[in-house]
Amino acid sequence: MTLPIADQWFQATKVDADTTLIIEPHIHVLEQANMWLVEGSERDMILDTGMGVIPFRPYLDSLRKDPGKEIMCVSSHTHIDHIGAVHEFDIRLVHPAEADEMAHPSGLNSLFRRDMPERLLQTFLDAGYPPIGETLIEALPYEGYDPENYRLHGAPATGLLSHGDHVDLGNHVYQVLHLPGHSPGGIGLFEEKTGILFAADAIYDGPLIYEGPGMSVDDYRATFDLLKSLPATTIHGGHDPSFDRARMLEIIAHYEALWDAA
Ligand SMILES: [Zn+2]
């Protein structure tokens, strides 16, 4: 296997005064998750931490105005592409339904296609993702990196986030929404004063995944009902570019029609 060497493993885009989107561009698009840094007046938050191919914290701290400030690591859910660096943070928050999974990840724990169940691969193809090569990485983070040594570490939660709780950064306060369907303990974060919703994998502008372990179309329908009732105007998803309310309603209608026809 010959993979090119990446110039930079992470890529950051400033979204607004306090918000930065970070991705790992050399991960296959299927597992290329959005990581959201919000720098608050009292403390910072990182929502999701990618695959954990290389240490994330040094890069993240290099982006922060005050790397010495307290930072809360919030996991929207515990799939491999969202909890890669949880062990690099002192404050680790997750929904109770996925706390065990974050402490001891039991799902996919490899960069190799050969370790992914055939049924799962078929689900991704059916959903509309391009086929995966030999590995989930399409470049090496540095010369000599051995993908065989990849491990998802996980780490126990230091606190739990349930529906109705708040994540308080000082000048930004987010309401925690329980959004199951894609995973049992999936959460979103909604900021009332700006209408910004961090929806994670409950809704993004790409193929949604709703068939697999821990997934439920019935729960997904209830999650969509909740999202429709929410006055969200800007939606930052767990994958793919951000979108507005009109697009959110379009995506929801597409999947509801798909499920109704099944
Ligand atoms: Zn996911």
Side-chain angles (χ1 to χ4, degrees), residues 77 79 81-82 182 201 239:
H77 64 300
H79 289 154
D81 49 334
H82 296 264
H182 173 79
D201 284 10
H239 298 263

Side-chain angles (χ1 to χ4, degrees), residues 73-86:
C73 173
V74 176
S75 297
S76 69
H77 64 300
T78 54
H79 289 154
I80 185 172
D81 49 334
H82 296 264
I83 60 162
V86 285

Side-chain angles (χ1 to χ4, degrees), residues 24 30-31 33-34 48-52 75-86 94 98 101-102 105-109 120 124 136 150 152-154 179-186 200-202 204 208-216 220 238-239:
E24 295 167 286
L30 166 72
E31 304 283 17
N34 292 335
D48 292 339
T49 57
M51 288 282 295
S75 297
S76 69
H77 64 300
T78 54
H79 289 154
I80 185 172
D81 49 334
H82 296 264
I83 60 162
V86 285
V94 71
E98 297 192 35
E101 183 62 26
M102 194 168 86
S106 66
L108 180 64
N109 195 343
L120 189 67
F124 296 146
L136 283 167
Y150 171 83
L152 185 60
H153 296 280
L179 304 174
H182 173 79
S183 75
D201 284 10
Y204 48 82
L208 301 184
I209 302 294
Y210 49 85
E211 284 176 318
M215 301 186 184
S216 155
Y220 228 131
H239 298 263

Side-chain angles (χ1 to χ4, degrees), residues 162-178:
S162 297
H163 190 82
D165 286 348
H166 289 87
V167 172
D168 188 348
L169 309 183
N171 57 340
H172 295 286
V173 179
Y174 299 96
Q175 188 188 333
V176 176
L177 307 172
H178 184 210

